[in-house]
Amino acid sequence: NAAKAELAIEDLHAWYGESHILHGVGFEVREGEVLTLLGRNGAGKTTTLRSIMAMVGRRTGSIRIGGVETVALPSRRIARLGVGYVPEERGIYASLSVKENLHLPPEVRPGGLTDDQIFELFPNLKERLSSQGSKLSGGEQQMLALARILRTGAKLLLCDELTEGLAPVIVQQIGATLRTLKDRGFTVLLVESNFRFAQSVADRHLIVEQGRIVDAVLNDELEANLPKLNRYLGV
Ligand code: ATP
């Protein structure tokens, strides 16, 4: 509990054009913590991640990363503070090889994983190194999207729907990888609609509703809170 806040958000508002999407989001993620954002479609989970990266039309409030206020900074400066974003659409270039995709994002800070460390975490990628992006399975694409962010030196990972559309065995592999990353001191903020996956990786869950955080549940207390969560999530 003494761990310091890696990310501290207060009264965050965000807009796409005239659409006011976030209405005063506030929460903290401690160093080494895995936190999920749960909520119905359109609640504002993705917009929260995009706001942290300065990828929305406009944002106000406070977003401190490792103590540094970033609400007025552009994306590249935010990335250099050690934040990596893995978007839902993954962004794998179909015509580039796995290796080229892996080496695409620039290093933002020292301490990024080496290729050998990447292959240790994702053995499949090593075998597929010269394959074209378009030839990868969904699971391989997802691993590549995560791997290349780890190369950049990011220590705070913002991951959107990592498990969407993937086979259960791949979902388990990704869960194991996230737990390894947590053990190595990475901090992870995860948008997730696979509730059981969220439970298998996270320390804590936040509920997003209509652009606000309306509740928080410790993972250890998740089962006891299932009726309440089901009401929020409508499952
Ligand atoms: P989902 O799982 O459906 O993505 P979410 O909780 O991540 O849900 P967001 O993607 O953050 O929701 O969307 C929140 C609201 O913002 C929705 O009403 C959506 O229509 C709107 N929105 C998202 N992206 C844009 C955009 N680029 N321009 C305008 N409105 C947007």
Side-chain angles (χ1 to χ4, degrees):
N1 262 356
K4 68 176 197 292
E6 182 72 18
L7 172 67
I9 298 181
E10 285 172 66
D11 195 30
L12 174 63
H13 290 251
W15 290 261
Y16 288 115
E18 296 294 303
S19 309
H20 187 176
I21 308 291
L22 300 187
H23 299 267
V25 166
F27 64 92
E28 288 192 358
V29 191
R30 291 185 287 275
E31 207 177 308
E33 189 176 32
V34 178
L35 188 65
T36 66
L37 300 177
L38 304 175
R40 293 176 197 239
N41 287 349
K45 305 175 300 289
T46 297
T47 303
T48 301
L49 299 190
R50 292 178 57 88
S51 297
I52 296 166
M53 293 311 293
M55 294 168 69
V56 291
R58 189 160 78 84
R59 61 206 183 126
T60 64
S62 173
I63 304 174
R64 273 172 293 132
I65 296 168
V68 178
E69 179 58 60
T70 65
V71 81
L73 299 182
S75 300
R76 66 173 192 290
R77 296 271 308 277
I78 294 167
R80 265 190 246 142
L81 293 169
V83 190
Y85 176 45
V86 184
E88 186 173 5
E89 56 279 10
R90 296 172 190 152
I92 302 304
Y93 288 86
S95 62
L96 299 184
S97 69
V98 167
K99 188 173 184 179
E100 288 164 335
N101 269 289
L102 189 60
H103 291 186
L104 207 57
E107 220 182 324
V108 293
R109 311 210 288 190
L113 269 56
T114 62
D115 283 5
D116 284 343
Q117 288 170 323
I118 295 281
F119 300 144
E120 194 192 308
L121 276 176
F122 306 100
N124 292 10
L125 291 185
K126 187 172 185 178
E127 291 163 26
R128 305 288 264 139
L129 215 48
S130 53
S131 304
Q132 270 195 319
S134 58
K135 299 286 191 312
L136 299 182
S137 68
E140 288 168 334
Q141 285 188 24
Q142 189 61 79
M143 289 180 192
L144 179 54
L146 185 55
R148 72 177 172 191
I149 291 304
L150 297 173
R151 268 195 85 257
T152 66
K155 293 296 285 195
L156 169 61
L157 310 176
L158 312 177
C159 302
D160 201 347
E161 301 282 9
L162 286 180
T163 64
E164 195 175 21
L166 303 183
V169 57
I170 308 294
V171 172
Q172 279 180 22
Q173 279 177 30
I174 290 177
T177 305
L178 286 184
R179 288 188 292 272
T180 302
L181 293 173
K182 175 184 166 63
D183 288 344
R184 295 190 189 173
F186 286 85
T187 306
V188 185
L189 177 59
L190 203 63
V191 168
E192 196 43 72
S193 43
N194 181 338
F195 184 73
R196 289 296 170 191
F197 176 76
Q199 184 178 27
S200 76
V201 295
D203 299 299
R204 205 151 56 92
H205 311 274
L206 302 179
I207 312 300
V208 185
E209 215 172 70
Q210 297 182 348
R212 293 179 186 83
I213 307 294
V214 296
D215 216 331
V217 178
L218 291 174
N219 199 48
D220 291 342
E221 296 167 6
L222 195 68
E223 291 295 332
N225 282 284
L226 279 182
K228 183 173 80 173
L229 286 167
N230 286 340
R231 277 199 301 282
Y232 284 131
L233 305 175
V235 290

